[in-house]
Amino acid sequence: MPHTGHPPPTGTAAASGRRHTFRSVAPVLALCWLAVFFDGMDVNVYGAVMPHMLDDPGLGLTPGAAGTIGSWTTFGMLIGALGTGTVTDWLGRRPVLVASVLLFSGGSAVCALAGSPGLFGAGRFVAGLGLGGLMPICLSMVMEFAPPRRAALATGLLMTSYHAGGMFATGLGLTLAPALGWRWVFWAGVLPAVVAAPLLLRSLPESPGVLLAKGRTAEAEAVADRYGMARPVPADAPGQGAKGRLDAVRALFRPGARWATPLLWLASFCGLLLVYGVSTWLPQMMRASGYGLTSSVSFLLIINAGGIVGMLVAGRTADRFGPVKVSALWFLLTAAGALLLGARLPLGLTYVVVAITGVWLFSAQVMVYAAANRVYPAAERATGIGWVTGIGRTGAVVGPWLGGTLAAQGNDQLGFTAFALAGLLGALAIGLVPLARRIGRTTPAVPTAVGTEP
């Protein structure tokens, strides 16, 4: 559990005889990894099959409508993320996570059955509600259970699953969609309800901090002992009741965080605009640039492969140099990559640029979450990360909408310039977080997760 300024009670680690290492918490990391894998699959599946959907006369999907539907998805994710960060402190992490999985699986089934863009969009909105709730829960769980000084690496490891899921979705788009039709790809999105939900319900432990807040002290200590963690103290427990929910939101603007919070929101906005804009429109933008359909969809596979490498590199680097520095540099490199993708390069070189851009693009956003982990102490973590992801989802709404608007006007190439500008703004926002914390700290702040500035 990340350090919160309170020494762990004497003998807590010895109570179970287990050290707090990645190995001791591997079951929790693995279950959250599985959940986020399906999240990545569901988010990326739309971009992977969009060219086939646009070519389906029976559906009647236009580029403009496709961009709007992408925004419906991310609007649902915005609502899900904002609500989940607070609700999960009340109901518990595990039941809300399972409900999120069932919700986006149900939305995928609606998409598979849809006969019109309107019904398809409704299915994507429902899926977005579940997807938006899933990510902040898994992030807060991993940050709570991870060894204190390896939080950034644990976050990066978790998010490799998102890109593994994205690669799997792209594989489905390359194989199932041409052979059986795009609907079968969305039927695959029902798998999480069958595979992940039962495993999470049976095997995922509840947050020790949430158990302590509910007065279930013995259970909280038993979970902490089982995974080699320090036993939770009252400062780790989120407040309960309506007042506790309101206080958790107010705490996001306490001294030391009052100016950092809006900067984290802005950085998350830019990061998610890039992530969802590229995930939704990269195949179509590359197709408009003159590449073939198969090559255009393959670019989505390549950029997600680069994302997996980027998560591992960014996590280890951020644990050493701090997530703010890594995120700011990664945003700048993403901007450069986006500008290069706008140039018509030879196919082989384009694959290289896409892969390298993927290394920076996705982990720039994830390191924003790692920075938030150092701004908000344990009791505020779920709410803080929920709001960072939730407000950031406005960027996820804008990204697909912007790509669709530009495509409808025949200006696909301008999408690369827009994404580059988002990268520059994201670098500025996250880079100012340490300064904002110093300016806002008018009274002694709660120490960060590892006792350092982000």
Side-chain angles (χ1 to χ4, degrees):
M1 181 178 298
H3 178 59
T4 58
H6 299 271
T10 303
T12 53
S16 65
R18 302 193 68 180
R19 294 180 57 202
H20 190 190
T21 64
F22 271 118
R23 178 173 295 183
S24 68
V25 298
V28 176
L29 297 179
L31 288 167
C32 289
W33 194 97
L34 178 65
V36 176
F37 171 89
F38 285 117
D39 182 312
M41 184 186 83
D42 197 279
V43 168
N44 284 274
V45 74
Y46 185 39
V49 301
M50 185 186 295
H52 298 282
M53 295 176 66
L54 290 171
D55 290 343
D56 181 0
L59 183 63
L61 185 67
T62 64
T68 300
I69 289 172
S71 296
W72 290 356
T73 310
T74 48
F75 183 66
M77 295 172 79
L78 184 155
I79 297 173
L82 288 179
T84 298
T86 300
V87 171
T88 187
D89 287 338
W90 172 39
L91 298 177
R93 308 279 197 263
R94 181 171 57 189
V96 178
L97 181 56
V98 171
S100 297
V101 170
L102 295 175
L103 200 57
F104 75 72
S105 292
S108 188
V110 172
C111 290
L113 294 168
S116 66
L119 184 57
F120 181 86
R124 292 303 290 165
F125 176 78
V126 171
L129 291 174
L131 293 167
L134 183 146
M135 187 63 73
I137 297 175
C138 288
L139 284 166
S140 61
M141 286 287 286
V142 165
M143 290 175 181
E144 180 176 7
F145 278 80
R149 295 187 180 277
R150 291 292 180 265
L153 177 58
T155 304
L157 286 171
L158 171 69
M159 294 305 295
T160 62
S161 62
Y162 177 92
H163 301 290
M167 293 174 67
F168 184 71
T170 306
L172 292 176
L174 288 170
T175 55
L176 277 185
L180 302 175
W182 60 266
R183 294 181 187 276
W184 280 97
V185 181
F186 284 99
W187 278 121
V190 180
L191 284 175
V194 180
V195 177
L199 281 173
L200 293 169
L201 195 59
R202 182 174 68 249
S203 303
L204 185 70
E206 186 52 86
S207 157
V210 170
L211 290 172
L212 184 67
K214 293 178 175 294
R216 296 157 63 179
T217 304
E219 293 179 58
E221 293 179 348
V223 171
D225 291 347
R226 186 185 317 146
Y227 295 97
M229 304 160 61
R231 289 178 174 177
V233 295
D236 298 333
Q240 295 296 292
K243 183 178 183 300
R245 306 279 67 73
L246 183 59
D247 288 345
V249 176
R250 287 174 176 168
L252 305 184
F253 297 94
R254 60 174 170 77
R258 58 166 59 104
W259 299 115
T261 289
L263 286 171
L264 289 169
W265 290 355
L266 178 58
S268 184
F269 169 89
C270 294
L272 288 171
L273 185 153
L274 285 164
V275 168
Y276 288 93
V278 169
S279 295
T280 302
W281 283 103
L282 180 63
Q284 187 62 25
M285 288 166 60
M286 300 305 284
R287 191 183 185 188
S289 296
Y291 297 95
L293 176 59
T294 300
S295 295
S296 297
V297 176
S298 297
F299 288 134
L300 198 58
L301 181 69
I302 297 299
I303 202 168
N304 276 287
I308 291 177
V309 175
M311 293 300 170
L312 298 174
V313 173
R316 293 185 67 86
T317 307
D319 278 331
R320 181 175 180 182
F321 298 104
V324 161
K325 294 177 182 177
V326 173
S327 182
L329 178 59
W330 264 228
F331 269 121
L332 290 174
L333 292 170
T334 298
L339 290 176
L340 282 174
L341 288 177
R344 186 65 167 88
L345 303 172
L347 182 60
L349 183 57
T350 302
Y351 275 121
V352 173
V353 173
V354 168
I356 294 176
T357 302
V359 171
W360 320 122
L361 168 65
F362 301 102
S363 48
Q365 166 64 24
V366 172
M367 290 304 106
V368 173
Y369 300 144
N373 180 53
R374 296 190 174 190
V375 171
Y376 307 119
E380 302 164 16
R381 184 181 300 115
T383 298
I385 293 176
W387 278 77
V388 168
T389 56
I391 297 297
R393 295 295 180 191
T394 57
V397 172
V398 170
W401 168 82
L402 179 62
T405 300
L406 292 175
Q409 296 173 352
N411 295 319
D412 303 77
Q413 288 286 357
L414 289 179
F416 295 111
T417 303
F419 292 147
L421 291 174
L424 293 175
L425 182 58
L428 178 63
I430 193 65
L432 289 174
V433 167
L435 176 62
R437 294 195 68 198
R438 288 193 291 271
I439 293 174
R441 190 176 289 138
T442 57
T443 60
V446 177
T448 61
V450 294
T452 62
E453 289 291 333

